[in-house]
Amino acid sequence: MPRLSSLEELRPSPRLICVLVLVSYFFVTAGIAYDIINEPPAVGGQTDPVTGAVKPMTFMPYRLNGQFILEGLSGGFFYTLGGVGIILLDLSRDKNQSVLFRNVYLALGLAITILSYLVCMVFIRIKMPGYMR
Amino acid sequence: MSPVKPSSGPEPYVSHASLFETAKRYLTKTKSQELLLRSIILIFVYLLAFCIRLFSVLRYESVIHEFDPYFNYRSTINLVQEGFYEFWNWFDAESWHPLGRVVGGTVYPGLMFTAAILYKVSQFLTACIKLRDICVFTAPFFAGNTALIAYLFGKELKDTETGLVAAALMAVVPGYISRSVAGSFDNEAVAIFALVTTFYLWVRAVNQGTIASAVLAAFAYLYMAASWGAYVFISNLIPLYVIIMFVSGRYSRRIYVAYTTFWAVGSLLAMQVRFIGFNHVTSNELLSFNGVFVGLQVWEALVFLRTKLGTKQFGQLVYLTAVAAGAVGAAGTAILVLSGKLNPWTGRFWTLLDPTYAKKFIPIVASVSEHQPTTWASYIFDLHVLVFAAPAGLYFCFKRPTDGTIFLTVFALTAIYFSGIMVRLMLVAAPAFVLLSAIAVSSILQSASKELRTPAAAETKTSPVATRRGRTSASNEENITTKKSTNLMILGLTFLALWSYSSHSVWVTSEAYSSPSIVLISGWGPHRVVLDDFREAYYWLRHNTAPDAKVMSWWDYGYQITAMGNRTVIVDNNTWNNTHIATVGRAMASNETEAYKIMRQLDVDYALVIFGGMSGYSSDDINKFLWMVRIGGGVFPVIKESDYLANGDYTVSSRGTQTMLNSLMYKLSYYDFGNIMTEHGKGTGYDRVRNYEIGKKDVQLDHLYEAFTSEHWIVRIYRVKDLENRF
């Protein structure tokens, strides 16, 4: 059928879909549904007992079921970044690329993956002080 | 050896090797080694999946947790004692007091049947395990089975290595453990097994394209439909997959065979469950399931006709049929919708599409804590390193798409989206994360080990060149991706990541997901405090009240009261009748005289409240009170939420409104509490949950009197007085 061949040209490339999927993954794991329904502030405030000044508090403490907007976005960002790191690690295996690119992908991928994991561990320790105690 | 030689053929070969020599011969073959390794890994995975879920049993005792499992336990007792037909036609008069509940037609019986079958099998094998223990250990048993099915699924998707990684990850993923610990005798315990099995068998059916494999998938779908209301997820995901395959140009005859058989056999089987019945063909929730079936038949018919007719005739036929079909379809849908035959989507599923729907329209759905949306921290808590490996798995699925990996992609994307909307659905997303991560981890490990195995020859070839000319060898720079040290480092990092994943899972299971919520345990070692108030109160009810006494409490505790206290309740966790629950909410929120009238109408003998102010238990009725007001106010406008809030603040202190301080819930919770000193240095009547002193300290009750208060004041039971003598 003649119309089908134009449909093939209309079809988006897998690479584009993969990028869109990663963007949506970022938004979902950042807790966007929680932000829309509960409308928390972007950052919280902690009143200093002595001076009375309000210090910004980025992580809603002691509760896993509450978050501030920025906190959620940063968490989701590092999840996606870790995934991108592993993707880079795989891109470095492509034999058709130049050696320079392969080395860069490998080093960058390793660095990003390890960084994301460590940052997320730090985040969860700030949020839940009783973690792994 | 027989004395008669065979007339034809050579002598049969008999080996004279000893056992040791045979074993050595087998063990040195690579194929046997691989089989041995695989079997050992799978056995350990099964044992791990079973044992990690046993924390609460080892720490406390083998007891059923939470609220819903008590109803399932009671139903299983009914099934085992009365038999299949009595259970299938069971009308329960002990809950929803004046109304009763048709249990046979409003329950998903898969879990009860599974437990009853396990019980009968163990009786038959003379391993006489008590029914309660069977119920407690059903979930870990099925968790092990799910891990094995994940192995088969991974094998079907990619290869054996992926399957093994999937099984290992599935055994300990905390998102799944949270609802399948020993003691959590709930639908999800068997439903996740059914879900993964159905998906595995469906992918197998699509890969093979035979009727037999599709029928097997349909039977797995029956098990899922009998176990959990989320079977509509499968019935919408598979048609969505078919549509996506169609749109992406990968439609094939195998998909047609698989889907048609699955639809026909699966619908018929699912309709055998009384709760589903004809909903399977008339409900809006399954519209895509049925619609895609019709669409596939139409497409195949068109293809068939095109091969038989010429192009021009075919074009005319297509035009005529399209117009006629469009008209008939539109008219038919209009008639069905107008005559009310098409059942609308239920509220719970609307929430998945429009997250703010429940908050605006159905407070009872919005009030359940499991239905709250997910925060970022739940992901890392429930999945740990899988959140990093899952996007990489999606990339691998896009890199080399096969029928199976496209299905996994569709499943994963929908599951991840839904898990963002409701915390409870993290359970459904966990298998998707596990499978994606298995693909990613297995790919990393395979590429690293491949590099480690091959370049032994290549290095010796290039090394004389490299040592002679230093850095100016064939390539300008060293290729660090092929170096042994890099790949060993990658393997080491993967090992560390998986190690941290498993230690995190064990810690999370031990700390967060193993609490038998019927018993409150706090503290360690010599400072351990066990609060067993719930069972104390329910057994008091069982032994000290009339057998036909009716108990009014908030719907959370209904199942437990009926199962352990053996008394009739007014409302319970099934929440099928919103008006009835609103009546109870109105009674709790009104003043004592109004509430007494409602309680006399409902024939209530005892009122039960949960109070945490003395012990510090924070999920008590005062904290849930605003939901009672909202639900009651949703049906009876006389209850207004603003009456209970002082300047927009919900408080029971001296700033609280008069309506709040005179409500039945306040009186029943704080009766006699004003005389108690709970904390050193604070006044009397200091509420340890709200952290302030209560407003009204001398509570007088006119129409009820205190019947029982448990040891730590967590459960308080009041007897409703009879009408006064008129003379």
Side-chain angles (χ1 to χ4, degrees), chain A residues 52-121:
Chain A
V54 176
K55 287 191 300 185
M57 181 168 67
T58 37
F59 288 94
M60 200 186 279
Y62 301 117
R63 313 165 48 187
L64 270 191
N65 56 357
Q67 70 174 26
F68 298 120
I69 299 185
L70 274 188
E71 165 193 357
L73 287 175
S74 37
F77 172 69
F78 279 106
Y79 295 158
T80 322
L81 200 64
V84 164
I86 302 185
I87 295 178
L88 284 177
L89 274 181
D90 179 72
L91 280 179
S92 75
R93 303 280 180 202
D94 186 6
K95 297 264 191 252
N96 297 329
Q97 291 268 21
S98 67
V99 172
L100 176 68
F101 268 104
R102 290 179 66 185
N103 290 346
V104 165
Y105 283 161
L106 182 77
L108 201 60
L110 274 178
I112 286 183
T113 312
I114 298 177
L115 175 81
S116 308
Y117 174 74
L118 291 175
V119 166
C120 284
M121 285 296 112

Side-chain angles (χ1 to χ4, degrees), chain B residues 67-87:
Chain B
F67 303 117
D68 280 9
Y70 273 98
F71 170 71
N72 298 328
Y73 178 49
R74 198 167 136 250
S75 311
T76 315
I77 294 179
N78 190 349
L79 173 61
V80 163
Q81 280 175 349
E82 312 284 333
F84 171 71
Y85 287 106
E86 284 302 321
F87 175 76

Side-chain angles (χ1 to χ4, degrees), chain A residues 1 11 14 17-18 21-22 25 28-31 33-34 36-38 59 64-67 71-72 75-76 78-79 82-83 86-87 89-93 95 99-100 102-103 106 110 114 116-117 120-121 123-124 127-128 130-133, chain B residues 247-249 299 306 355-356 359 373-381 384-392 394-396 398-399 413 416-417 420-421 433 444 447-448 451 475 477-482 486-487 489-490 493 500 503-504 507:
Chain A
M1 285 168 80
R11 225 174 270 143
I17 306 244
C18 193
V21 158
L22 285 177
Y25 183 77
V28 168
T29 52
Y34 180 91
I36 293 178
I37 295 181
N38 294 32
F59 288 94
L64 270 191
N65 56 357
Q67 70 174 26
E71 165 193 357
F78 279 106
Y79 295 158
I86 302 185
I87 295 178
L89 274 181
D90 179 72
L91 280 179
S92 75
R93 303 280 180 202
K95 297 264 191 252
V99 172
L100 176 68
R102 290 179 66 185
N103 290 346
L106 182 77
L110 274 178
I114 298 177
S116 308
Y117 174 74
C120 284
M121 285 296 112
F123 280 176
I124 196 86
K127 194 167 169 78
M128 273 182 45
Y131 180 68
M132 288 295 229
R133 198 68 52 89
Chain B
V247 163
S248 60
W299 174 259
R306 190 176 53 154
T356 54
K359 192 168 156 200
T374 337
T375 58
W376 73 276
S378 306
Y379 282 97
I380 193 137
F381 200 69
H384 208 238
V385 284
L386 302 188
V387 280
F388 301 122
L394 281 171
Y395 159 79
F396 282 111
F398 277 108
K399 189 167 143 183
L413 289 177
I416 295 176
Y417 169 67
I421 303 213
F433 272 98
I444 296 176
S447 59
E451 291 285 339
S475 53
E477 300 174 15
E478 294 174 53
N479 192 349
I480 56 173
T481 61
T482 53
T486 322
N487 289 307
M489 183 166 75
I490 292 182
L493 283 176
S500 83
S503 63
H504 166 90
W507 180 85

Side-chain angles (χ1 to χ4, degrees), chain B residues 661-680:
Chain B
L661 297 182
N662 282 330
S663 64
L664 184 69
M665 177 55 70
Y666 179 89
K667 285 191 173 179
L668 295 185
S669 295
Y670 292 114
Y671 180 72
D672 216 11
F673 188 64
N675 308 324
I676 306 276
M677 190 134 151
T678 51
E679 285 245 353
H680 189 66

Side-chain angles (χ1 to χ4, degrees), chain B residues 154 161-163 165-167 169 386 389 433-443:
Chain B
E161 293 88 6
T162 313
V165 177
L169 292 177
L386 302 188
F433 272 98
V434 162
L435 289 165
L436 286 177
S437 315
I439 293 182
V441 168
S442 148
S443 302

